[in-house]
Amino acid sequence: MQLFKLAKLDRRLAIENGAALVQLQRQRLEKIVAYARQHSPFYRDLYQNLPEEGFSLTDLPPMTKPQLMADFDAWATDRAVTRAGVDAFIRDKSRVGERYLGKYSVWTTSGTTGEPGIFLVDGLAQRLYNALMIQRGYRSWLTWGGLGTMIRRGFHTAMILAVGDHYAGAANWVRMRRELSLFASRLMIFPILEPLPRIVQRLNAFQPVIIASYPSMLVLLAHEQTAGRLKIQPLMLNSLGEGLDENARGQIETAFPHSRLADIYATSEFLFIGFECEQHWLHVNSDWVLLEPVNEHNQLVPAGEPSADVLLTNLVNRVQPLLRYALGGSVTLNTEPCACGNPLPAVRVSGRTDEILYFPATAGGVTGVLPMAIASVVEQVPGVTRYQIIQTAPEQIKIRLEVESGADRETTWETMEADLRDFFLAQRAAPVQAILDEEEPQVNPVSGKFRHVYREFEL
């Protein structure tokens, strides 16, 4: 019941009245800043010269992920939260979807900057995130006829995600399935590490009404649907976690002409930042999350100009306040009111630019390997801090690797090499040579972006 109370979200006040939205943003900003100053030693010190009231958002100094991770214990507003305790919690993969200290969800990410992150989410914030998905996502995407179709087909929903660790999407989905136990059999997780033929077989049996996954996976499913091996008619296709470009969109929509494809702006720092409208703009839930498109000097860029970074302020999650946090990536703000009629700020996002890698298959032809799939194999090796997976030839990859302080690089690599060998075998790929590169992970010298998985040769 509390979920549906939250699902109202002051929707009319926040969306239909621009002045009321600004006032609401201001009230929530003052509350979260006051709470951070009172309960977080990190923010108490950082804001010691900030006035109690009358400050503006830009008076707050921008924060980076390394800064917050380095001061993890002081950053948290709950004194029972410690980095040592959280590290012990996330090492136990059987606890994915459980709550640390019985209170907080824990989500891990490597992020577009390549720096690993650990984010705690309190119960109110997590309920709000899911309410946003229901109230502002599906409410805008589904017609009454579509809702009737969902009811007739049993609400079957498939999430095809990286699993096996405390990733935000999978962990939140596990939590939802536990809380909605009566519907658990209708809410299925499909691990992206499963071979594609097995995923196709399971989807054919499950017949989902909604599929949510990475654009790269949706492209592979589009190929399977076109080839006749996949035989499903989903009502909704949601893409998240990677950039959805026009080429991918065209392939997906051609293969599923009766499905609504909608992109979601989703991160571990605020699970559902925005939802796509029919004009292909992402509308930011700016009554609960503030985004500042900035240049390399953290100065606001004008509408219509791609930003160098994005500063995020989470107005709901109190256990780890994120105030003008450097999210990474690039957004472009719409210069005009969106033609769809939604007055919430509209942006286009340049997200992760990882690529599907193609390798010779054991049965002939090629097999596509999802970037999120191979990345999850590498991320789950103990001791890994940062990495890059680069395909250098049809049957060869090189790994740039940075390990934790105290971890042995060679031992970490031996484990990773064995795991990759098993992964390629499960994906039914011909033997692939994995080489440990002497260079450490690095950003692209031209774009300044960090890519995890990509090719260095032409197909």
Side-chain angles (χ1 to χ4, degrees), residues 145-459:
L147 181 59
T149 300
M150 285 192 66
I151 293 172
R152 289 194 302 272
R153 294 176 57 186
F155 291 97
H156 285 192
T157 302
M159 297 281 287
I160 310 175
L161 299 171
V163 301
D165 215 327
H166 297 262
Y167 305 124
N172 182 61
W173 195 241
V174 169
R175 187 77 203 172
M176 284 188 66
R177 293 184 79 240
R178 288 174 180 168
E179 293 181 352
L180 302 173
S181 56
L182 293 177
F183 298 93
S185 63
R186 303 175 185 183
L187 309 175
M188 298 293 291
I189 296 179
F190 294 70
I192 58 170
L193 288 178
E194 283 191 357
L196 184 60
R198 172 61 176 158
I199 292 177
V200 168
Q201 180 185 40
R202 292 182 63 199
L203 287 173
N204 283 335
F206 187 56
Q207 287 297 309
V209 184
I210 298 173
I211 298 178
S213 190
Y214 316 113
S216 53
M217 170 55 82
L218 296 180
V219 167
L220 291 185
L221 294 183
H223 294 166
E224 294 298 301
Q225 183 87 352
T226 300
R229 292 181 290 271
L230 181 64
K231 301 174 182 179
I232 59 176
Q233 294 297 327
L235 190 68
M236 284 290 312
L237 296 169
N238 291 136
S239 66
L240 70 168
E242 299 170 343
L244 176 63
D245 60 35
E246 289 306 308
N247 179 53
R249 183 186 295 277
Q251 294 180 63
I252 297 165
E253 291 181 338
T254 299
F256 299 99
H258 303 296
S259 303
R260 169 71 186 273
L261 173 62
D263 199 16
I264 299 173
Y265 190 4
T267 70
S268 299
E269 292 86 347
F270 192 101
L271 190 57
F272 298 124
I273 294 175
F275 304 112
E276 186 184 57
C277 70
E278 63 267 24
Q279 301 295 318
H280 298 169
W281 286 93
L282 288 152
H283 288 273
V284 177
N285 295 304
S286 61
D287 49 342
W288 293 103
V289 58
L290 305 179
L291 295 187
E292 299 173 78
V294 295
N295 61 22
E296 60 274 13
H297 304 296
N298 288 322
Q299 298 170 329
L300 286 173
V301 300
E305 180 179 320
S307 68
D309 203 344
V310 183
L311 301 183
L312 176 147
T313 296
N314 186 320
L315 297 175
V316 62
N317 189 36
R318 291 190 166 193
V319 62
Q320 284 180 328
L322 290 170
L323 306 169
R324 304 198 78 209
Y325 164 86
L327 181 63
S330 172
V331 303
T332 303
L333 183 65
N334 196 352
T335 58
E336 303 289 340
C338 187
C340 79
N342 187 337
L344 286 173
V347 299
R348 291 217 166 102
V349 180
S350 299
R352 291 180 70 152
T353 55
D354 295 337
E355 300 175 337
I356 300 175
L357 305 183
Y358 292 93
F359 300 93
T362 53
V366 296
T367 184
V369 170
L370 291 176
M372 287 288 190
I374 193 169
S376 68
V377 174
V378 171
E379 287 179 3
Q380 292 176 40
V381 175
V384 173
T385 298
R386 294 201 305 163
Y387 65 90
Q388 283 178 305
I389 304 163
I390 306 165
Q391 186 177 12
T392 54
E395 298 176 350
Q396 185 180 85
I397 60 173
K398 68 179 179 182
I399 309 293
R400 292 175 178 160
L401 181 62
E402 182 179 313
V403 299
E404 296 174 356
S405 175
D408 182 74
R409 179 178 168 87
E410 290 303 320
T411 300
T412 302
W413 169 243
E414 289 175 5
T415 302
M416 185 181 298
E417 188 177 25
D419 289 352
L420 286 169
R421 191 180 308 118
D422 292 342
F423 167 74
F424 284 116
L425 181 64
Q427 297 297 312
R428 303 176 186 177
V432 176
Q433 182 184 24
I435 299 172
L436 179 61
D437 197 52
E438 294 183 359
E439 293 184 342
E440 290 194 342
Q442 55 195 261
V443 298
N444 184 293
V446 177
S447 69
K449 299 293 188 296
F450 186 92
R451 306 177 71 191
H452 288 88
V453 184
Y454 60 97
R455 292 187 302 274
E456 281 189 340
F457 72 100
E458 294 294 328
L459 289 175

